[in-house]
Amino acid sequence: MVRRRRLVPMTRTAPPATPQSTPRRGRPRDAARDRAILDATLAVLAESGYRALTTAAVAARAGVSTATLYRRWSSKDELVVAAAATHVEAVHAQPDTGTLEGDLRVLLRDKAAALTGEAGRLMQALVGEAARNTALADALTTAFLEPVHRRVGEAVRRAAERGEIEAVPDAELLGAVVVGPLMSRFLLTPRPDRVDAATARATADRFLPFALRAVGAIGGPGGAPTSP
């Protein structure tokens, strides 16, 4: 009689657990590459105008792929506004000079400097397109108009608190009154990039008496602003 051997099931040794891989974070943005793309945008815009500008042309000028460009800016409008912002004044908090006249003088001179030179020519191109492009108009309003209007509002409120003028309701709305004429002057000037710094500064100072009257203040004897 043949005895059968009982088979013992073999146990398999589980393979050693592999450590969980740590998720890799995305590559940090390269500031130099960002700047190259924005500079290329300005160059193509100056050469071709807004309507003829394409993201492909900008990417080729910057030496990057269009995918790289779109990872940073999702649309042509966003790209152009970001590029223009590098060439236009950075709007900082309004310095407190201690007087309304001093505050408005600084603000008008800042704005005149921003609207002349190469920046002025670029803004002319963008403003012209914004009349037909709602998205671009909204972006320009948010980036360039609202900050300077807030600066005017802050200066006026401080002046009211000091007792220089009576309180003004809706002080920020005065921004359009104070800065609007200066913007019209430079944006309607052929080739504002040919206006030198001294001329821009002098023009800003000529607008100062009218800005003071608009907010209910009169500077210096005879209604003329005092010298800086």
Side-chain angles (χ1 to χ4, degrees):
M1 182 174 179
V2 179
R3 301 182 66 182
R4 296 182 178 178
R5 298 179 60 184
R6 195 169 70 179
L7 298 177
V8 179
M10 296 180 63
T11 58
R12 291 186 178 182
T13 303
T18 57
Q20 292 286 334
S21 58
T22 303
R24 296 181 62 185
R25 294 182 178 180
R27 183 181 299 176
R29 267 174 74 153
D30 184 344
R33 182 170 293 180
D34 287 3
R35 183 68 199 207
I37 295 172
L38 295 175
D39 287 346
T41 303
L42 293 174
V44 175
L45 184 63
E47 291 174 3
S48 308
Y50 180 88
R51 284 181 170 263
L53 182 146
T54 64
T55 52
V58 171
R61 176 71 67 94
V64 301
S65 67
T66 52
T68 297
L69 187 152
Y70 279 118
R71 278 198 295 270
R72 289 158 166 79
W73 296 280
S74 62
S75 70
K76 172 179 167 177
D77 290 347
E78 283 187 12
L79 174 64
V80 169
V81 170
T86 68
H87 226 62
V88 178
E89 65 173 340
V91 180
H92 302 291
Q94 166 71 28
D96 186 353
T97 66
T99 67
L100 179 60
E101 180 183 330
D103 288 350
L104 293 185
R105 178 182 287 111
V106 171
L107 188 149
L108 289 171
R109 287 179 176 179
D110 283 354
K111 201 60 182 175
L115 291 170
T116 54
E118 185 66 17
R121 188 158 66 92
L122 292 170
M123 285 301 294
Q124 279 184 327
L126 295 178
V127 169
E129 177 59 28
R132 299 180 291 270
N133 186 323
T134 302
L136 183 58
D138 290 344
L140 289 176
T141 298
T142 300
F144 304 122
L145 292 183
E146 290 178 355
V148 77
H149 289 180
R150 284 195 296 270
R151 285 182 64 177
V152 173
E154 290 165 9
V156 169
R157 279 190 287 269
R158 284 199 302 267
E161 290 170 0
R162 288 190 295 259
E164 289 184 72
I165 60 173
E166 295 186 8
V168 178
D170 297 324
E172 289 184 11
L173 293 179
L174 284 172
V177 177
V178 170
V179 184
L182 185 73
M183 294 181 67
S184 297
R185 175 65 175 265
F186 285 114
L187 290 177
L188 296 177
T189 298
R191 295 304 302 264
D193 52 314
R194 295 181 181 176
V195 177
D196 60 46
T199 301
R201 182 186 177 104
T203 302
D205 288 348
R206 288 172 59 195
F207 276 96
L208 181 58
F210 302 100
L212 288 169
R213 290 187 177 93
V215 299
I218 298 177
T226 58
S227 57

